[in-house]
Amino acid sequence: MSSSLRTIRTRALVSATAVAALLAVAGCDGQGKDRGKASATPTPGSSSSAPATAPAAPPGSSGLPRSLTGQKPRWKECAAPTARQGTGKAPGGDWECAGLTVPLDWAKPDAETIDLAMIRAKATGPGKRIGSLVFNFGGPGGSGVSSLPGFSGDYGKLRARYDLVSFDPRGVGESEGVTCRSDKEIDAAEAVDGTPDDAAEIKAATADARKYIAGCERRSGKVLPHVDTVSAARDMDLMRQVLGDRKLSYFGISYGTELGGVYAHLYPRHVARAVLDAVVDPSADTEQGSLAQARGFQLALDNYLRDCARKGLACPVGDDPEAGAEKIVTLLKKLDKNPLETDSGRKLTEGGALGGIAAALYSEDSWKYLTLGLQEALTLGKGNLLLAMSDSMSGRDEKGRYSNINAANAAINCADEKKRYTVSDVKERLPRFREASKVFGDYLAWSLLACTGWPVDGRTDTPDVSAEGSAPVLVVGNTGDPATPYAGARTMARELGRGVGVEVTYRGQGHGAYNSGNACMTKTVNAYLLDGKVPASGKTCG
């Protein structure tokens, strides 16, 4: 399938702010609070990016070569983020960027290496510094270097006693970022139908998929076998050592929860404190995860439609939530045959509209933008706003430049996931997906083909996150989460192990809980990270 088929999968980087910014570009006053998603790193290989190596440093407890464990990162002022990271302004202020050298292949730590891009802001006080708090904001494929400064206002209290640290995982952004297509080729692929209806459309979609995969292999074949989550977790443990932390303190969101769970499994006695928010279900294989997302996004859309209906005439799909869903289905069917014009000259396709709707469901604060987008499409016959929201999902900026989030997303998922599906498999499963979601079901069913024909075999069907011997890990689930449905938190807490996984529930809307603004949730997580206060498992906020 086309590269767009993974745009819904465990994405944590879409915020109300990102949507508002893109709506402003599209000519709509989003009236949103600007958190300023901006950051940067020097380009790997430049003098400011490559870390210095301390001479004759003794091997660490990991047994890695001294050239790795003895690194002394050269922290420098951050430049503006690159196109692969998502563009934007340099973060300025107290933000510093550096590189971390890691093995390309962790089975051969003495062989070829690559550089990972890192960013940090030092602890400000008051209070005694605890250490580094490492963030992964999800995707997989999101640049932590470009994300952390924009979200840092939400973590101000944590910065008092932690250095806030993030990075571009291997294959992402400026950490040997995977590339599959040029910006123009990505735009051209918008015309490929992600929900094919007949043999001709299936043929076109699978031909485009082969072309896409060939581009990934041609441009990034060296790193494709090595961008799996286990390798990224090993990178984090080396990062921990290089940052000078005896144990790792970690905050993972969405896919970052899977990365955190894998880290805890590999290094249970290296965990200090860890928060997993918006939790990926570690027991779900590709099909089960996609089916759960179909239900999750439909649930979130239904919640939006009920809220919209209460607004009466202000709701573009009417005051009956069920009828409103049917109006959206009808709109998508029309777009499948006749995409809407936009002021930019691009067209809003069915896939673009689905991406725009999904983007708005990541935060309750974005529901008002979904209302505006649907109103424009249904009453004016224009696709500007839904396309702008779709661009927030696919990493496209106003100049037509794409981050590598979708290419990295495909590469990481396909390096992790063992199961491969056929067209016949999808056809067989379509009724179940349609039952789960009349809006998103077809799209997520066809997305099962995303790794078919991938040149690298996946590692496993599901990740192992059992972490006997680990310190307690806070596992936070949101009952209204569209992308990582609530049930995943309970499963993660159970699979981490008795006495390790501590489940906390937020009864709310949107993707994730800590940044929701709920005072109970913020207080609970801060007390754990700052003071080591572990709540009773089963605590509920909201």
Side-chain angles (χ1 to χ4, degrees):
M1 292 287 87
S2 71
S3 59
S4 64
L5 282 174
R6 289 290 179 144
T7 56
I8 292 179
R9 192 82 182 277
T10 63
R11 184 70 54 78
L13 299 175
V14 176
S15 67
T17 303
V19 172
L22 279 157
L23 292 185
V25 171
C28 172
D29 179 10
Q31 301 177 348
K33 175 185 174 185
D34 183 9
R35 293 193 297 192
K37 182 181 175 184
S39 168
T41 184
T43 302
S46 69
S47 60
S48 59
S49 170
T53 300
S61 60
S62 59
L64 295 173
R66 290 173 295 196
S67 59
L68 297 176
T69 58
Q71 295 178 72
K72 300 293 183 184
R74 291 175 177 159
W75 295 102
K76 301 289 184 180
E77 180 180 353
C78 297
T82 66
R84 283 196 295 188
Q85 291 174 309
T87 68
K89 296 180 180 179
D94 299 327
W95 294 99
E96 302 174 306
C97 288
L100 175 74
T101 297
V102 300
L104 172 63
D105 182 351
W106 271 98
K108 302 174 183 177
D110 292 305
E112 186 175 358
T113 61
I114 57 175
D115 280 350
L116 306 186
M118 298 189 298
I119 190 168
R120 76 172 180 186
K122 290 184 178 179
T124 58
K128 183 179 179 181
R129 177 183 176 276
I130 296 172
S132 304
L133 181 61
V134 177
F135 288 81
N136 181 284
F137 292 97
S143 166
V145 172
S146 68
S147 298
L148 180 57
F151 289 113
S152 62
D154 296 330
Y155 306 107
K157 288 188 177 180
L158 300 177
R159 189 183 170 192
R161 298 183 61 200
Y162 285 102
D163 295 347
L164 303 186
V165 178
S166 195
F167 64 110
D168 291 355
R170 52 176 58 218
V172 176
E174 291 303 322
S175 296
E176 293 288 337
V178 173
T179 302
C180 298
R181 280 179 164 155
S182 68
D183 294 337
K184 289 183 178 179
E185 288 172 332
I186 297 173
D187 275 346
E190 289 179 349
V192 178
D193 193 344
T195 58
D197 302 308
D198 54 38
E201 289 186 346
I202 292 172
K203 182 178 180 180
T206 53
D208 182 71
R210 289 192 295 271
K211 184 177 179 181
Y212 177 76
I213 291 171
C216 300
E217 191 169 17
R218 183 172 64 255
R219 292 176 168 96
S220 300
K222 180 183 80 170
V223 298
L224 293 183
H226 307 295
V227 296
D228 56 282
T229 298
V230 168
S231 294
R234 296 194 187 283
D235 293 341
M236 283 208 306
D237 199 59
L238 178 58
M239 185 184 302
R240 171 193 64 79
Q241 296 177 64
V242 170
L243 291 172
D245 293 313
R246 189 174 66 87
K247 293 189 176 184
L248 178 74
S249 293
Y250 178 75
F251 203 126
I253 304 159
S254 197
Y255 162 77
T257 66
E258 180 176 328
L259 177 58
V262 170
Y263 179 91
H265 169 69
L266 294 173
Y267 306 103
R269 288 174 174 78
H270 293 183
V271 175
R273 297 168 188 171
V275 175
L276 308 182
D277 185 4
V279 185
V280 174
D281 186 339
S283 70
D285 62 17
T286 306
E287 178 185 350
Q288 293 164 339
S290 295
L291 193 60
Q293 278 201 323
R295 297 189 186 102
F297 275 97
Q298 188 65 48
L299 172 65
L301 181 61
D302 291 343
N303 290 338
Y304 158 77
L305 289 169
R306 281 190 287 271
D307 180 77
C308 187
R310 285 193 289 267
K311 295 177 172 59
L313 294 176
C315 181
V317 290
D319 58 5
D320 181 344
E322 188 171 340
E326 290 299 332
K327 287 183 180 180
I328 291 175
V329 171
T330 299
L331 171 65
L332 294 172
K333 288 180 179 178
K334 289 180 179 178
L335 293 174
D336 189 29
K337 304 299 181 185
N338 298 294
L340 288 182
E341 300 290 337
T342 70
D343 294 343
S344 67
R346 295 164 66 206
K347 292 189 176 183
L348 177 70
T349 63
E350 178 190 20
L354 278 168
I357 294 168
L361 297 176
Y362 274 78
S363 169
E364 189 172 1
D365 291 339
S366 297
W367 287 3
K368 56 182 173 286
Y369 304 125
L370 179 54
T371 295
L372 292 171
L374 290 172
Q375 187 175 50
E376 183 192 41
L378 291 168
T379 63
L380 301 178
K382 300 284 283 187
N384 293 307
L385 306 184
L386 287 176
L387 184 59
M389 290 189 285
S390 180
D391 286 345
S392 74
M393 287 285 282
S394 60
R396 188 185 196 273
D397 69 13
E398 66 273 15
K399 295 181 180 179
R401 299 173 297 183
Y402 286 86
S403 74
N404 90 312
I405 188 167
N406 279 338
N409 185 281
I412 295 167
N413 280 325
C414 296
D416 281 347
E417 298 168 0
K418 189 174 183 179
K419 174 71 174 177
R420 302 296 191 245
Y421 297 86
T422 66
V423 169
S424 296
D425 291 332
V426 173
K427 289 180 176 179
E428 179 184 342
R429 289 158 174 78
L430 268 170
R432 195 182 317 161
F433 276 81
R434 287 169 176 165
E435 182 180 359
S437 173
K438 62 180 68 177
V439 173
F440 300 99
D442 276 42
Y443 189 85
L444 283 162
W446 285 106
S447 77
L448 296 177
L449 295 182
C451 294
T452 301
W454 197 257
V456 175
D457 291 336
R459 293 180 62 97
T460 184
D461 289 323
T462 57
D464 192 343
V465 298
S466 58
E468 182 180 356
S470 170
V473 174
L474 215 60
V475 181
V476 181
N478 181 349
T479 57
D481 199 314
T484 51
Y486 171 67
R490 182 156 296 173
T491 304
M492 176 69 81
R494 183 178 67 246
E495 293 207 357
L496 284 167
R498 184 181 296 274
V500 178
V502 179
E503 184 183 359
V504 177
T505 296
Y506 170 56
R507 297 194 180 280
Q509 303 296 329
H511 189 44
Y514 182 82
N515 292 354
S516 66
N518 179 269
C520 167
M521 184 56 64
T522 302
K523 183 178 180 181
T524 300
V525 173
N526 286 353
Y528 165 75
L529 287 173
L530 295 173
D531 303 317
K533 295 181 179 178
V534 180
S537 191
K539 179 173 182 175
T540 297
C541 293

